[in-house]
């Protein structure tokens, strides 16, 4: 166990150090969520006047939840880019040789992804509150929202890690990013599920991310949260991508 | 060999270079269409807002892939020229009797060819999905011309950055800035329906709004002289500035080599 923790700690420290000391990694992670929040909450706020739109906490809170979960997911995916980059440079192969417990490598990248979310999330919260976001949920609801964002972050990291460790090149970036992007945007992004129509409504109803974003909105507005569904879906995604990520690690080990 | 023949040869190289790399062809076609599909599905309800100019969000959103496709044209043009600098191709070319302008013209012509193919696909998908075109068949031609000038505008800006920096990584890094310009515009709602004053003010001074509105006017309103004049005017001005800047950067780059 100590070996596992040592490896995880070392990998996490290196990844976090790289992330916070290199502006080219840090700035996009900070700027993009803020930009999406500005574009969606600012540019589309009139959408809340559409007949049938009845989210009690207002459009800023409505969009905040989506952008928070999106930023968490992309924090995980961007950490996957680092894994691919480490494989391309040969560093990851040397890590595989040196690490007494290789699962610790995956756990270390997971901690790094959590650290990214831990930097971006509070910044996003701060900006949203400063711009007048209405929060009707209580402390427990907000804690639940934070837990949800962290679960999404680690699930996305495990997805991206599985791809990165199978393909072992930074050119796999679109393969990590695009499925996540499509999954996120095929949920009720701009209006509640009830106001969607046509093919996107059918797809959104089947999309597991819909349960997460709608549950997150219930949390921030203090609505009735279907906790079993919300955290059940989040944990199921986490378990699924954990298997995917660990199998990816085994593939990387086998490739030498 | 005339300037035209040299330009044609460079354009052929540029088109082949692009077509041989799926990563340079598929994203400019697929991404804008995916985003448009998502927005049309998600924002159809916005057409119920009082004052929304059409009852089909597809008619409103069809301008989006043309503008986003132009951003990809900027990246392709910039990356391609930056690679020519990085690999020394430009330096070797400088030793030949080739006219400098042919390199730039050829590169931009190649990117525009890909843009024209993309534009045809966007329109075909739009019509298949039920797009109604108020300006009729002549309007489609005008839209294609405007879309090509917009592509030239962004591609020339990409070329300018590629030639000035000689770094493909820098060109890629500038992409988010273009993306910001697109999102802080009237891309998702008409300017008069943007509720936040500060956002509407940014969208009003952002030239990209007028590119959207010029393209969109042909689809929704038919022949709107003011929207078209502003659209063509801004697109031409950016294209002119971009081409002149690129030509100057190319001169400087070749002097250095």
């Amino acid at each position: 166990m100590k070996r596992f923790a040592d490896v995880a700690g070392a990998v996490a420290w290196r990844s976090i150090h790289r992330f916070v000391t290199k502006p080219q990694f840090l700035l996009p992670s900070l700027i993009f969520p803020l930009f999406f929040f500005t574009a969606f909450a600012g540019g589309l706020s009139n959408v809340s006047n559409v007949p049938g739109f009845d989210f009690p906490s207002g459009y800023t809170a409505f969009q905040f939840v989506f952008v928070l979960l999106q930023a968490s997911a992309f924090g995980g995916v961007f950490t996957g880019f680092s894994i691919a980059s480490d494989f391309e440079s040969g560093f990851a192969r040397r890590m595989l040789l040196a690490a007494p417990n290789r699962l610790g490598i995956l756990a270390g990248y997971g901690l790094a992804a959590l650290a990214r979310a831990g930097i971006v999330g509070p910044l996003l919260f701060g900006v949203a509150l400063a711009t007048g976001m209405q929060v009707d949920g209580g402390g427990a609801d907000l804690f639940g929202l934070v837990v949800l964002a962290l679960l999404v972050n680690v699930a996305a990291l495990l997805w991206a890690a599985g791809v990165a460790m199978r393909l072992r090149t930074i050119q796999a970036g679109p393969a990590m990013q695009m499925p996540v992007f499509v999954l996120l945007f095929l949920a009720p992004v701009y209006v509640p599920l009830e106001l969607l129509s046509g093919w996107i409504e059918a797809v959104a109803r089947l999309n597991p991310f819909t349960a997460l974003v709608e549950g997150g909105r219930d949390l921030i507005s203090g609505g009735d949260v279907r906790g079993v569904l919300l955290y059940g879906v989040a944990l199921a995604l986490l378990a699924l991508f954990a298997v995917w990520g660990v199998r990816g690690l085994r593939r990387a080990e086998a490739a030498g | 060999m005339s300037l035209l023949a040299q330009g044609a040869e460079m354009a052929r190289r540029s088109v082949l270079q692009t077509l041989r790399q799926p990563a340079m062809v598929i994203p400019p076609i697929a991404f804008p269409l995916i985003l448009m599909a998502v927005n049309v599905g998600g924002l159809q309800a916005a057409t119920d807002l009082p004052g929304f100019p059409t009852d089909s969000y597809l008619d409103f959103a069809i301008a989006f892939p043309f503008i986003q496709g132009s951003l990809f044209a900027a990246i392709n043009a910039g990356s391609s020229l930056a690679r020519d600098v990085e690999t020394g191709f430009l330096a070797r070319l400088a030793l030949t009797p080739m006219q400098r302008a042919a390199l730039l013209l050829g590169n931009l012509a190649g990117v525009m060819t890909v843009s024209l193919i993309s534009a045809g696909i966007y329109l075909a998908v739009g019509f298949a999905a039920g797009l109604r075109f108020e300006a009729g068949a002549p309007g489609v031609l005008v839209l294609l011309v405007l879309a090509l000038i917009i592509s030239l505008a962004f591609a020339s800006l990409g070329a300018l950055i590629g030639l000035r920096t000689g770094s493909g990584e820098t060109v890629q890094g500038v992409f988010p800035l273009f993306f910001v310009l697109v999102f802080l515009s009237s891309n998702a709602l008409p300017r008069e329906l943007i509720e936040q004053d500060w956002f509407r003010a940014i969208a009003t001074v952002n030239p990209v709004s007028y590119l959207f509105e010029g393209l969109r006017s042909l689809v929704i309103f038919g022949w709107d002289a003011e929207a078209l004049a502003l659209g063509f005017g801004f697109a031409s001005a950016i294209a002119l500035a971009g081409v002149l800047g690129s030509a100057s950067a190319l001169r400087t780059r070749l002097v250095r080599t």
Side-chain angles (χ1 to χ4, degrees), chain B residues 53-78:
Chain B
T54 169
D55 60 358
S56 162
Y57 198 79
L58 173 66
D59 294 351
F60 186 83
I62 190 68
F64 189 83
F66 290 97
I67 302 284
Q68 206 196 354
S70 301
L71 298 193
F72 281 105
I75 300 304
N76 284 351

Side-chain angles (χ1 to χ4, degrees), chain A residues 147-215:
Chain A
V147 170
L148 179 65
L150 296 179
L151 289 173
V152 168
N153 173 259
V154 178
L157 172 272
L158 289 167
W159 153 256
V163 176
M165 289 179 171
R166 279 170 173 80
L167 301 178
R168 297 180 291 281
T169 165
I170 192 63
Q171 285 179 322
M176 293 178 227
Q177 197 170 5
M178 267 312 281
V180 176
F181 186 85
V182 171
L183 190 75
L184 293 176
F185 277 87
L186 290 179
V189 178
Y190 306 112
V191 291
L193 186 60
E194 304 77 52
L195 288 183
L196 291 180
S197 57
W199 68 272
I200 199 157
E201 185 205 357
V203 173
R205 286 195 186 279
L206 295 172
N207 182 352
F209 190 71
T210 297
L212 305 186
V213 74
E214 295 246 301

Side-chain angles (χ1 to χ4, degrees), chain B residues 130-188:
Chain B
L131 180 72
R132 294 164 303 184
F133 214 96
E134 282 297 321
V140 174
L141 288 178
V142 174
L143 180 133
L144 284 174
V145 172
L146 178 55
L148 280 180
I149 297 174
I150 292 170
S151 274
L152 175 64
F154 281 106
S156 62
L157 290 179
L160 169 62
I161 297 161
L163 285 166
R164 277 258 179 253
T165 63
S167 157
E169 204 176 337
T170 307
V171 174
Q172 297 283 346
V174 172
F175 184 71
L177 290 179
F178 286 142
F179 210 62
V180 168
L181 280 176
V182 169
F183 271 86
L184 294 179
S185 70
S186 57
N187 80 92

Side-chain angles (χ1 to χ4, degrees), chain B residues 79-90 165-170:
Chain B
S79 304
S80 160
L81 283 168
R83 194 170 49 242
D84 285 347
V85 174
E86 282 171 332
T87 58
F89 176 79
L90 208 63
T165 63
S167 157
E169 204 176 337
T170 307

Side-chain angles (χ1 to χ4, degrees), chain A residues 39-126:
Chain A
F40 289 170
L44 290 169
S45 61
N46 201 9
V47 171
S48 64
N49 296 319
V50 167
F53 192 108
D54 57 358
F55 187 69
S57 301
Y59 201 71
T60 304
F62 184 85
Q63 279 301 345
F64 169 78
V65 172
F66 175 77
V67 175
L68 176 70
L69 296 182
Q70 184 197 36
S72 301
F74 276 104
V77 170
F78 289 160
T79 308
F81 288 1
S82 303
I83 300 174
S85 176
D86 284 343
F87 271 101
E88 205 166 73
S89 68
F91 183 80
R93 285 191 175 85
R94 295 197 292 278
M95 271 202 301
L96 285 173
L97 279 175
N101 186 327
R102 289 166 180 168
L103 280 177
I105 296 175
L106 198 55
Y109 283 121
L111 289 172
L114 284 170
R116 278 180 185 242
I119 293 170
V120 177
L123 178 73
L124 202 52
F125 256 109

